[in-house]
């Protein structure tokens, strides 16, 4: 089970990504566009670097919805491999069964 503080940190990052996502996308489009004036591009790079680091979606981490485990995620279910196996064996996941009988 992951520490609560790590889950809270992840939630704060998700809020920052949502808050600054549109602005980041605009700045990245300006930087990547080949017809952008070099002065405008430099200004956009400066503005992008001034945004909080945690507002980058790359810094988000997939975590188990139940206990927050960061490794071995099955994104289709939102669970870690350990939690998925335990719940599947108990029959708590509808439509999931063992491949071998």
């Amino acid at each position: 089970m992951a520490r609560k503080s790590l889950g809270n940190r992840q939630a704060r990052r998700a809020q920052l990504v949502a808050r600054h996502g549109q602005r980041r996308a605009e700045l990245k489009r300006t930087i990547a566009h080949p017809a952008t004036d070099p002065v405008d591009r430099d200004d956009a790079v400066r503005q992008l670097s001034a945004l909080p680091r945690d507002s980058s979606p790359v810094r988000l981490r997939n975590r188990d919805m139940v206990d927050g485990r960061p490794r071995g995620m099955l994104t289709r279910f939102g669970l870690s491999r350990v939690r998925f196996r335990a719940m599947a064996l108990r029959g708590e996941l509808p439509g999931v069964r063992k491949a071998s009988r």
Side-chain angles (χ1 to χ4, degrees), residues 23-24 27-28 31 41-56:
R23 181 67 180 145
R24 286 183 72 85
L27 290 171
K28 284 188 165 271
I31 293 168
R41 181 174 285 119
D42 290 342
D43 186 43
V45 169
R46 261 189 236 97
Q47 289 178 18
L48 184 64
S49 67
L51 290 175
R53 277 189 178 178
D54 282 345
S55 68
S56 173

Side-chain angles (χ1 to χ4, degrees), residues 6-21 54-57 59-61:
L6 298 177
N8 294 340
R9 186 185 309 163
Q10 179 73 7
R12 278 195 310 272
R13 284 182 179 151
Q15 288 176 347
L16 279 173
V17 168
R19 187 182 319 151
H20 295 287
D54 282 345
S55 68
S56 173
R59 293 175 71 96
L60 291 177
R61 176 97 191 196

Side-chain angles (χ1 to χ4, degrees), residues 33-81:
H33 197 276
T36 304
D37 183 44
V39 176
D40 294 337
R41 181 174 285 119
D42 290 342
D43 186 43
V45 169
R46 261 189 236 97
Q47 289 178 18
L48 184 64
S49 67
L51 290 175
R53 277 189 178 178
D54 282 345
S55 68
S56 173
V58 172
R59 293 175 71 96
L60 291 177
R61 176 97 191 196
N62 289 334
R63 289 187 171 271
D64 188 320
M65 293 186 320
V66 178
D67 62 2
R69 187 176 200 278
R71 307 268 179 133
M73 278 293 302
L74 300 171
T75 54
R76 183 174 178 184
F77 296 94
L79 301 170
S80 68
R81 61 181 177 78

